Amino acid sequence: MKCVRNTLKYQTAIDYSILKMPITRSKSISEQVNELLRGRILDSTYVPGGRLPSESELSQEFGVSRATIRTVLAKLASEGLILRKQGDGTYVNERIDEVNAHVGGLWDFVRLIESSGYQASIESLSIEKRAATEQETFTLAIQPGDEVLALKRLFFANSNPVILATNVLPSNLIVKDTETFDGRLHIRDFLQQYCRRRIMYAISDVRASLAKGEVAGILHREPGSPLLDIRIAFYDRDNAPIVCGQSYYNDEVLRLRLVQTWG
Amino acid sequence: MKCVRNTLKYQTAIDYSILKMPITRSKSISEQVNELLRGRILDSTYVPGGRLPSESELSQEFGVSRATIRTVLAKLASEGLILRKQGDGTYVNERIDEVNAHVGGLWDFVRLIESSGYQASIESLSIEKRAATEQETFTLAIQPGDEVLALKRLFFANSNPVILATNVLPSNLIVKDTETFDGRLHIRDFLQQYCRRRIMYAISDVRASLAKGEVAGILHREPGSPLLDIRIAFYDRDNAPIVCGQSYYNDEVLRLRLVQTWG
DNA sequence: AAGTGGTCTAGACCACGAC
DNA sequence: TCGTGGTCTAGACCACTTA
């Protein structure tokens, strides 16, 4: 058994000064163990359907306590990547491809598209500052007439347009120039970088709707055909709404799939 | 501080012989602490938006270790009931009422309806044994012609029909007479009681569809109006598919609101 | 009977935020 | 600075499955 603890313990954050991101944290031991194990699962070092080493073996290999190993395995199990059987062992879920597309949440569209086997690309349709709509003043808890920044983006799966997403946030939250921002960024990371806000949770409203007019055209659907309509609101640590979004999701091409675990 | 540990420690399972459920387990300490804290949150003993006692205070009050308290609080946080702020404290999420399910958790339609503020009731439309369809032989990994049991149920919210759910499982899995089964049972519990199988996880596909014919009539929707179409497959500890289901969800009346947390 | 994962403890130290 | 939650440890014992 090789003890790799020295390489694990409180890895120094690299690029701290270069990236000028004061919130860069060094990776915790469990994060590193998580990435290692996740990597071995995804690249079939641990073969699908096969058994992982026991908790004690893993804790010895990595030189960490069994409790640390357990927190990592618990997370992987909650994502459906592994199955844990008391009295038996821990197994790699052989349905890994169905499951992997949806770890880390539903709303990371790039990841969702790519792990569904498509090439993902994004087209920024518009970035505009305008007065908030009535609906937006309500969900964002701002005043009528307050200025908001609206990002309208179109996601492609192998050059098929699949998701039309609009995100709206109050202009006054932006503390860093957005001229050069990366359109592929997840909203969560966008907020961290340009607004210095950390998102704690989101509430989504999933609905069925009918494609019509402009939206139908953009997503290449017949008017009147069904589309998923997902409204989302993100909240920060003070439970204040930061961003609201609306996405039309062409589920004819891209499946919206959820893995549910419990216990 | 009152130490209630004696009442918590390994509570004896009641009704063991009466219910004839051999798999009845005594509740673990953390399950009991979970129910206590969840109860205090839901009945506003801990007021919405207010702060909970600190971890050390809670561990003293219940006479359990801080680690135990932390596993419980982590679960409540993952469901969006509480917000945890490092360096500050733990707060009751004042937006609990807006949510009826969480990403990664099981969707219990009865609880979903009730937590949306409606009275839930269930009508069993049909229970029949028949040959499996082609689709079913595929998802359940059985042979063409194998017999399946199909349960068709209609869920009401305040006497409005909102969900039409069909669940299908291979007949040969049933090891106990189903004559007297309780139609309100969640499929998970049904399987535990009548098939002696424990479900480990489920994969759901959420799609938008159009109401048509019989379904439109049952759910009181105009033909051609949008409906959510949720397909689900349940897997047991051996990763074998046990049940597949299909639900039409009238999201005009009952919203599907999901909370998603990061940590 | 042996080995696995599941639960729980007591205690140490770190990171962060409010004061 | 102090108290909060966040991370990690070492070790005990329980519950379950398999051989």
Side-chain angles (χ1 to χ4, degrees):
Chain A
M1 293 290 181
K2 194 183 70 171
C3 172
V4 291
R5 176 162 179 188
N6 292 338
T7 62
L8 290 179
K9 187 157 195 178
Y10 292 111
Q11 189 181 78
T12 313
I14 333 172
D15 297 334
Y16 183 100
S17 54
I18 298 173
L19 287 180
K20 290 177 184 166
M21 288 176 55
I23 315 185
T24 309
R25 298 203 330 274
S26 64
K27 284 183 183 169
S28 70
I29 294 180
S30 47
E31 277 176 309
Q32 296 170 60
V33 172
N34 186 315
E35 287 168 9
L36 275 167
L37 289 181
R38 174 178 266 105
R40 292 186 187 175
I41 291 167
L42 294 180
D43 71 6
S44 295
T45 302
Y46 298 141
V47 297
R51 207 164 88 160
L52 267 66
S54 71
E55 297 181 348
S56 358
E57 285 171 329
L58 288 172
S59 70
Q60 279 179 38
E61 184 191 353
F62 295 131
V64 303
S65 79
R66 197 184 143 214
T68 303
I69 292 290
R70 278 187 62 77
T71 64
V72 174
L73 293 180
K75 181 157 179 58
L76 295 174
S78 78
E79 294 170 354
L81 291 172
I82 58 176
L83 304 179
R84 319 203 65 197
K85 310 191 204 179
Q86 187 173 9
D88 185 354
T90 302
Y91 293 81
V92 178
N93 190 348
E94 50 203 342
R95 257 174 277 271
I96 187 109
D97 293 333
E98 295 180 47
V99 159
N100 182 39
H102 308 282
V103 304
L106 304 173
W107 325 116
D108 187 341
F109 292 145
V110 170
R111 175 179 188 135
L112 197 73
I113 292 168
E114 286 178 344
S115 50
S116 296
Y118 300 103
Q119 181 80 24
S121 56
I122 303 179
E123 184 183 330
S124 182
L125 299 186
S126 67
I127 304 179
E128 55 165 355
K129 292 190 175 180
R130 55 168 171 74
T133 66
E134 191 182 351
Q135 174 66 35
E136 287 158 4
T137 60
F138 179 71
T139 49
L140 295 176
I142 56 181
Q143 297 304 314
D146 281 2
E147 192 187 68
V148 293
L149 178 70
L151 309 173
K152 198 168 180 180
R153 298 188 290 174
L154 182 58
F155 293 74
F156 293 85
N158 283 357
S159 72
N160 286 311
V162 286
I163 303 173
L164 175 62
T166 308
N167 284 291
V168 175
L169 70 159
S171 298
N172 60 21
L173 288 182
I174 300 168
V175 297
K176 189 179 161 188
D177 189 26
T178 54
E179 290 302 313
T180 60
F181 95 95
D182 176 2
R184 293 176 64 93
L185 273 185
H186 189 286
I187 288 288
R188 211 170 55 252
D189 302 321
F190 175 88
L191 288 167
Q192 179 109 14
Q193 291 184 28
Y194 294 96
C195 305
R196 298 274 184 274
R197 301 271 181 155
R198 188 117 56 105
I199 294 300
M200 288 211 80
Y201 72 101
I203 297 180
S204 305
D205 209 335
V206 179
R207 304 207 47 191
S209 71
L210 302 179
K212 48 189 167 187
E214 191 197 15
V215 174
I218 291 176
L219 290 176
H220 297 180
R221 296 294 302 264
E222 291 299 317
S225 61
L227 273 186
L228 282 175
D229 174 358
I230 302 176
R231 318 262 171 145
I232 189 165
F234 294 87
Y235 300 90
D236 73 356
R237 54 179 278 125
D238 296 321
N239 216 350
I242 301 296
V243 184
C244 64
Q246 203 234 327
S247 307
Y248 289 106
Y249 192 110
N250 182 351
D251 63 341
E252 195 72 32
V253 175
L254 188 66
R255 294 305 171 86
L256 180 59
R257 186 167 284 174
L258 298 173
V259 177
Q260 299 163 298
T261 57
W262 55 94
Chain B
M1 293 290 181
K2 195 182 68 170
C3 172
V4 291
R5 175 161 179 190
N6 291 337
T7 61
L8 290 179
K9 188 158 195 177
Y10 291 113
Q11 187 182 79
T12 313
I14 333 172
D15 297 334
Y16 183 102
S17 53
I18 298 174
L19 288 179
K20 290 177 185 166
M21 287 176 54
I23 315 182
T24 308
R25 299 202 330 273
S26 65
K27 284 183 182 168
S28 70
I29 294 181
S30 47
E31 276 176 308
Q32 296 170 59
V33 172
N34 185 313
E35 288 168 9
L36 274 167
L37 289 181
R38 176 179 263 102
R40 292 187 186 175
I41 292 167
L42 295 180
D43 71 6
S44 295
T45 302
Y46 298 141
V47 296
R51 208 163 87 163
L52 267 67
S54 71
E55 296 181 350
S56 359
E57 285 172 328
L58 288 172
S59 69
Q60 279 180 35
E61 184 191 352
F62 296 132
V64 303
S65 79
R66 196 184 143 211
T68 303
I69 292 290
R70 278 186 63 77
T71 65
V72 173
L73 292 180
K75 183 158 178 58
L76 295 175
S78 79
E79 296 172 9
L81 262 54
I82 57 176
L83 303 177
R84 319 202 65 196
K85 310 193 206 176
Q86 188 173 7
D88 186 353
T90 302
Y91 293 81
V92 177
N93 189 347
E94 49 204 343
R95 254 177 276 271
I96 318 174
D97 295 337
E98 300 178 23
V99 168
N100 52 28
H102 65 275
V103 174
L106 181 61
W107 300 348
D108 181 335
F109 288 147
V110 170
R111 288 185 53 172
L112 199 139
I113 292 168
E114 287 176 346
S115 63
S116 298
Y118 299 103
Q119 181 80 25
S121 57
I122 303 178
E123 185 182 332
S124 181
L125 298 185
S126 68
I127 306 178
E128 56 165 356
K129 293 190 175 180
R130 56 169 171 75
T133 66
E134 190 182 351
Q135 174 66 36
E136 287 158 5
T137 61
F138 179 71
T139 47
L140 294 176
I142 57 180
Q143 299 304 313
D146 279 3
E147 191 186 71
V148 293
L149 178 70
L151 309 173
K152 197 168 180 180
R153 297 188 290 174
L154 183 58
F155 292 73
F156 293 85
N158 283 359
S159 73
N160 287 312
V162 285
I163 304 173
L164 175 61
T166 307
N167 284 291
V168 175
L169 70 159
S171 296
N172 60 21
L173 288 182
I174 299 169
V175 297
K176 188 179 161 188
D177 188 26
T178 54
E179 290 301 314
T180 60
F181 96 94
D182 177 0
R184 292 177 63 94
L185 274 185
H186 191 284
I187 287 290
R188 189 182 68 254
D189 302 320
F190 175 88
L191 287 165
Q192 178 111 9
Q193 292 184 28
Y194 294 95
C195 306
R196 298 275 183 274
R197 302 269 181 156
R198 189 116 55 105
I199 295 299
M200 289 214 78
Y201 72 102
I203 298 181
S204 302
D205 268 5
V206 180
R207 305 205 47 192
S209 72
L210 302 179
K212 48 188 166 186
E214 191 196 15
V215 173
I218 291 175
L219 290 176
H220 297 180
R221 296 294 302 263
E222 291 299 317
S225 60
L227 273 187
L228 283 176
D229 175 357
I230 302 175
R231 318 260 172 148
I232 189 165
F234 294 88
Y235 301 90
D236 73 355
R237 54 181 279 124
D238 296 320
N239 216 352
I242 300 296
V243 184
C244 64
Q246 204 233 326
S247 306
Y248 289 107
Y249 190 111
N250 182 351
D251 62 340
E252 194 70 33
V253 174
L254 187 64
R255 296 301 176 87
L256 183 57
R257 286 178 158 273
L258 300 173
V259 61
Q260 175 173 4
T261 56
W262 291 272

